[in-house]
Amino acid sequence: MDRLSAFKIAASLQGCTPKAALTGMMSKHIVSLYDMCYSSLLQFDLEQWDEKITDCINYLILLKALIKEEQAYGSH
């Protein structure tokens, strides 16, 4: 089972690299985190912060996996 297949399939559909597809998907989570950080009207509980931060961390870990695989197999 290829745990990175979703990014590879998305890349194929979009005509880009798996890394670019991943960062496109990750941008939704980054924007959400920005919205929380810059919100002056709303307060967020620790559970909400944890969810958004964990989402971003997970995408960065997946990006690292794509980079390692790319370097190991010489694909771009």
Side-chain angles (χ1 to χ4, degrees), residues 2 8 10 18 47 50 61 64 67 70:
D2 184 358
K8 294 171 185 175
E47 185 177 319
D50 282 346
I61 291 168
K64 185 174 181 177
I67 292 166
E70 182 180 276

Side-chain angles (χ1 to χ4, degrees), residues 4 22 59-70:
L4 302 172
L22 180 144
Y59 271 97
L60 291 172
I61 291 168
L62 290 164
L63 177 58
K64 185 174 181 177
L66 280 171
I67 292 166
K68 282 184 169 186
E69 181 180 274
E70 182 180 276

Side-chain angles (χ1 to χ4, degrees), residues 2-71:
D2 184 358
R3 294 173 191 236
L4 302 172
S5 66
F7 305 111
K8 294 171 185 175
I9 293 168
S12 178
L13 291 170
Q14 297 174 43
C16 63
T17 67
K19 291 183 298 195
L22 180 144
T23 56
M25 293 176 191
M26 184 174 72
S27 65
K28 171 188 173 282
H29 300 282
I30 298 293
V31 168
S32 182
L33 194 57
Y34 260 78
D35 287 345
M36 289 173 70
C37 288
Y38 284 93
S39 174
S40 59
L41 303 175
L42 301 173
Q43 295 294 316
F44 303 96
D45 60 34
L46 187 56
E47 185 177 319
Q48 291 170 301
W49 284 110
D50 282 346
E51 178 185 349
K52 298 303 178 185
I53 292 167
T54 300
D55 287 344
C56 292
I57 290 168
N58 286 337
Y59 271 97
L60 291 172
I61 291 168
L62 290 164
L63 177 58
K64 185 174 181 177
L66 280 171
I67 292 166
K68 282 184 169 186
E69 181 180 274
E70 182 180 276
Q71 290 183 352

